[in-house]
Amino acid sequence: MTGDRIGSAPQWENYSLEQAIKWYDQWGGYQGVIVIDAGYHPRLGIDASGGIEKKILLPENARNIIFNIAKEDHDGGFRAILIDQNGYQHSLGDIILKSGDKRQICYDISTLAGSRITLQAYAFGAGTDNSGCDSDAGKCCFEYIGIDSIEIKSSEDIFPIQEVNDAINPPDYLENNIKIIYASDILKNISYKNHVNYDNCVIKGDIDLEDNVIDSPLYITNSIFEGDINFKRTKFNNNISFYGSHFLNDVHFEESVFSRTATFTYVYFYGFAFFKNSQFNNDSYFNYADFSMDAYFSMCKFSGYASFLRSQFLGDSNFDDTEFQKYADFKESNFVGLADYSRAIFIVDADFIGSHFSDNLIFNESKFYTLKLNSISLDSDSELSLTDSGITRYDYSNILVDWNDIRDHLSYDEVVYLSLIRNFKDLGVFDDAYNCYYQYRRESQSIKPWKDLTKYVDILSGLSCGYGVRPSYPLAWSCSLVLFFGLLFWSQKSLQKSICPFMPRDVNNKISSSNKNERSSESISISEAIYFSTLIFFHTHPPAHWYPSGKWKFVVVIEDIAGWLFLAIFVVVLVNRIITW
């Protein structure tokens, strides 16, 4: 199967997506292979994942999709995703290939049979083999993945699928070379203080290490934990890594201490994830983690770099009362349930750039230096709450956000609105400051009772000048009134113009009797009426021989007063904008 190139290429000089994704006649032991490059190198600012995409109609009896993939040198990651007709992403899972691997990976797609889907296959930087590379380039060194073929099967006797917790099956689960490890063996190794290192395994049985101290490194990667996991009040004195693993049941890490680096990158939590009141004394990585149920990180303390980059929170995510002492990275993550950061403390930056929120996002009473909410997206019924947060209490706090992204989602709080207005002005984003102020005045007006006279003042202010920040409003009113009075004068034939303004008159300024039979005036045309209205509105004298008849002279006075009023409003609002700028 061939498809369109998608994703991004590593940011090498003169290196494009076309160069990162190529067709090879021979590669990795296969003939005719699409080879895809990727890389992840934080020090160089590289985070690239290339891929291919194809829109297909699945047969009604489709059951399995099979990928034949290969790796030549080093190691790297492969990811498969299906996007249904509603735009929902079904992650089929990730797999790490070692040097020289040739794999045939099968996934169950029977739930999508008969539908139109978009198939995406990516390579991603996930390797650990950095031989011949920079010392810290293990995830950005020869990360190429080769795709030989992609097949869709419908026969029931091909690649029978074992159900795993009603979820999309994890990668490697069905591979013939998978290793079976019993939890008792892991517990024995830990008790003997041995270095625990397992990869591509199924862990059978429960792991219960509550109130324990683990001094040796603990690496169980790309594996599946079938039993219950209990690390309550456990102290990890060395590095731990569950990279690419799948926990099929609830996991318990409450009140645990992670003294060294903790890696949960690409981990799938199919049950509840409990990390409440834990301490991460070094860097912690939850990049690309998938939390299928609620995730509890309440009252945690992250002393090092905390990364939740591109993670999926399908349940509620609880980070209330949590402290982040260094950079907290939640970029491009997806929050389906409630995202609660109430009373959280961010000593440095809290980065949520590009994240999506399907439910409410709460920062009540939180403290932060810079809260980055640029390019976030919120569902129509989602709310952003910043009540008593750092932006309302500390001059050094600021929020980087596009007003249009949060305009319809900010829960009303007068102090929050005024603080955001100041925040936008301090950042020099004056249009956002004006728009925020306008929204604040509208919200304030809407909650006032009708018996409150200030409500009527607000309505008048909003209609006439957009609460003092919309100079286009008085300008639009002026044009409308000019047109209105012009059409009124013309339709009522209330304006006359003298045909001969110098026609002889008597001592009482009346036309002399010798000229009474001659026509002395006529009605003006519609264009002349609008011209007359414009001159009156902008306080310019009309031609002397144009005059209103009867009581219409009082209407002319009213238009003249309205002109002075709206001109004054326009000047005041415009000067206010210029001074602020």
Side-chain angles (χ1 to χ4, degrees), residues 172-179:
D172 290 342
Y173 195 83
L174 304 170
E175 294 190 47
N176 294 327
N177 62 347
I178 194 123
K179 299 184 288 290

Side-chain angles (χ1 to χ4, degrees), residues 456-489:
Y456 300 94
V457 176
D458 287 345
I459 293 173
L460 185 61
S461 174
L463 292 174
S464 62
C465 59
Y467 307 108
V469 294
R470 295 281 195 270
S472 59
Y473 279 30
L475 189 61
W477 274 109
S478 298
C479 295
S480 300
L481 288 174
V482 165
L483 185 61
F484 169 76
F485 281 108
L487 293 176
L488 183 64
F489 293 145

Side-chain angles (χ1 to χ4, degrees), residues 186-197:
I186 297 175
L187 297 175
K188 185 182 298 183
N189 280 323
I190 290 175
S191 66
Y192 292 155
K193 299 185 183 300
N194 291 334
H195 183 165
V196 178
N197 192 348

